[in-house]
Each structure stands twice: as structure tokens, then as C-alpha cells.
Amino acid sequence: MTVSIVLLILVVFLVVGLPVALAMLLSGAAGLYMLGGLPFLTGILRTSPLSTANSYEIITIPMFILMAEFVIISGIANDLFRAATIWVGRLRGGVAMATALAGAGFGAISGSSTAAAATLASTSLPAMLEQGYDPKLAGGVVAISGTLAMLIPPSIALVLYGIIADVPIGDLLIAGVIPGIIVTLAIILTVALLVRLDPAAAPQGRAHTMVEKVRSLKRVGPMLVLFLAVTGSIYSGLATPTEAAGLGAFVAMLLAIWERQLTFPRLCHALRSTAHTSCMILLIILGAHVFGYFFTLSRVTNDISAWVGGLPMAPLAIMCVILIGYIILGFFMDQIAILILTVPVILPVVTQLGFDPIWFGVIVVVTAEVGMVTPPMGMNVFVVARYTRRPLGELFRGVMPHVWAHLLVIALLTLFPALVTWLPSTM
């Protein structure tokens, strides 16, 4: 009965628009009060803030956010898009395919999905509209390409999952590489199919000489340096994810200085933006810890695990139900909130069914990508709409073919988990 009341309080708070962090904090506090009274609640509230912030791995989050800020300042993303356009732009729909490649490249040097969507919206979308692309096709590929930053390391979403699930963050980040490549290919193939079905949606691009193609690669060099500084150092074992995040932020700052883009006002803005986002995430984690204490003490997780273990269903069928639930939650909730709310409850069930927690983390992030572009939340679609002033309905219709392609990728990764787990096993 207590659990039902607390869950009802949480739902009411979320429906009325209370921030997720406060909704979890207040509903969890109410549950703890009902379980043990005021002394019990105050004891937990006195220790939770320090135990939340006093984690070495949490330093990874502000460092990756700061790295993304410096990458945006340096203008590397614009160079990535131009280089990709030179290589594949002559194909019908080539600029849209170049957008997917630029999104993957930006994701490899930034863990922020919304930053990736905003950057692509300001660079690739105007270029496509200028060349006569269907706005629906152009907006859809920009919104979905921005989600690649959630999966390809360095990924803030995977770092958060690693902290919540208490699994090696380095293994998680490396596990996102192959699925990230598969998702990028799925976006490119979806574009190719759309322009084949409707050739008028995208024009034929102009060809470039080999000299131009080789010359464009010089601008990709800084991205490779940053990628090796972060993902390369983690994979080789030269640095922990936290050390690699600090190294990545430092190298990104050097690149911004090298490009002569890092002025004092921009530096202050980057630091202020990093502090703002980091504090928001820390507050969400604090609220989740308080809510998680209630769930642990009320033995909800144990009861759910026992109930699922007794279901007359195959583990794969149960996993399909769990993933469908994640996709439905993505329609209505922020992706970070979904991770923090559900992983402590669902992960014991998943491990009891015999699934790898690292594989599950990557799968959950891929399903979160779907939530980033589906109504009514669709954060990336709102970002693209704000930057381009295109109608939301048009952008949501343009992104739907990519949603179906993402669902096929989720099915592929579920049926063949080695696509996720093989690369970390070689570290």
C-alpha cells in the first residue's frame, strides 16, 4: 500500500510539471517517512548529498560536458560536415548522408545529444534546404543524427548508467562503438531508401576531385586527435574513463585555442554552461538516491525479481516486454530521468534473467534515442525546430522512418548481443 501511494505521488508531481529531481526527492522522502518516521528520514537526508557527490566517477560527467562546450566553440563540427559532404555529397541524398556521418563524428568527440542536434541544425540543415531537399527529409535526418552522441563514446548517458548500475564505465563506453556504427549505417540506408522511393525529395549532388577529398581530410585530423585522446586511451588501458574525460576536455580546449576561437567571454560561457548542466544532473542523481533508498527498504526490487522469475515466459520474451516499456516511457519522460528511475529496479531482474548488464546498458541507450525524436517529448526535434523555425509536425513526420529503422537495430542487437559485448571483451 505504501509503495502504491508513493508511486501515485511521483506520478502526480510529474504530471503537474514539477522537475524530475524534486519529484523523486519529495516522493521518496514521503515514502521513507511512512516507513520509519521523521528521525529515519532526516538521517538519510543528512547523508545522501555527500554520498551522491562523493564519487570519483561523477567527475567524468562535467568533464565530458566541458569537452562538448569546447568542441562547439572550436567549430570542428562544421569541418566534419564539410568533409563528409565532399566525400559522399555527389550521391542523391548525399548531403543527408553526410549529416549522419557528421553526427557520428560529433558524437565521437561530444557526449551531448542536444548539443549535437543544435550544431547540425545550424550547419547541415540550411545547406540541405538551400540545395532543394524536402524539409521533412532534411529535418528528420538532422534530429536523428543528433542522437548518436548518446551512444558513441564519450556518452554521458552511458556514464550515468555505469554509475547507477555499478558496472565498469570503460567497458560501457567501448561497448557503444559497434552499435554506434550500426545506427549510423541504418540512418544512411534509410536516407538512401527514402530518396529511391521519392527522387524529388533530394537532388543529385556535385562530384568532387580526389585532390579536394584528400584536402578535406586535414580538417578531420583534430577530431581524430580528440577521439584517440578519449576513447583510444580508455580502450588501450592508458587512462581510466575519469582521467580520459579530463584529458579530452583539455585537448578540446587546446583545439579551440589552436582555431583561435576561445575568447574570454566564450570560456566563461562554457564554464557556466557546464556548471549549470552538471548541477542539474547531480540534483537528479540525489533525488534518485533518496527514491532508491525507499525502493530498497520496501523490498520492491526483490518482489519484482521474484515475480518475474516465476513468469511462464522465455527470458527473451520478458526482455522484449521490458524494452517496449522503455520505448513507451520515452514518449513522455526525459531520458536521464528514465535511466535513473528504472535501472535500479529493472537491472536486478535483467541479470536474474541471464542478460549481460553492459549489453543491457547499451540497449537501453539505443531505446532512449527513439524517445529523443518521438512525440510528445522528442527533445531533439524541439531543438531542431527552435534553431530552424520549421513546423514540429513536419519534423516529426520526417523522423518517423528513422524510428522504424532504430527499432530494427534494437531487434538486431537483442538477437545478437555479441555485437555489443565483443569489443569490450578485447580490451
Side-chain angles (χ1 to χ4, degrees), residues 247-378:
L247 179 63
F250 179 69
V251 173
M253 183 185 71
L254 293 181
L255 289 176
I257 295 173
W258 177 264
E259 297 290 334
R260 298 181 180 179
Q261 298 295 325
L262 188 61
T263 61
F264 184 73
R266 287 177 175 176
L267 175 62
C268 292
H269 174 76
L271 294 175
R272 186 167 55 248
S273 179
T274 300
H276 180 270
T277 307
S278 301
C279 289
M280 179 192 69
I281 293 174
L282 278 173
L283 187 59
I284 293 175
I285 295 174
L286 171 60
H289 272 199
V290 174
F291 196 80
Y293 277 127
F294 165 72
F295 258 53
T296 301
L297 294 171
S298 59
R299 299 186 60 82
V300 171
T301 304
N302 295 343
D303 294 342
I304 292 176
S305 298
W307 176 71
V308 170
L311 288 175
M313 297 172 64
L316 191 60
I318 297 175
M319 178 55 64
C320 290
V321 173
I322 291 173
L323 293 179
I324 291 170
Y326 268 104
I327 292 171
I328 294 173
L329 280 176
F331 295 161
F332 307 102
M333 290 182 64
D334 176 75
Q335 310 311 315
I336 292 178
I338 292 173
L339 282 176
I340 292 176
L341 270 175
T342 62
V343 169
V345 180
I346 298 297
L347 188 60
V349 177
V350 170
T351 53
Q352 180 181 316
L353 293 172
F355 294 102
D356 189 303
I358 290 177
W359 168 84
F360 181 67
V362 173
I363 287 289
V364 166
V365 170
V366 177
T367 59
E369 289 182 345
V370 175
M372 292 293 290
V373 293
T374 47
M377 286 292 287

Side-chain angles (χ1 to χ4, degrees), residues 15 76-77 100 115 125 132 137 149 170 190 211 213 227 253 280 296 314 332 339 352 357 360 364 397 418:
V15 168
I76 295 175
L125 191 54
L137 170 66
T190 303
V211 174
K213 290 180 179 180
F227 181 75
M253 183 185 71
M280 179 192 69
T296 301
F332 307 102
L339 282 176
Q352 180 181 316
F360 181 67
V364 166
R397 286 194 301 272

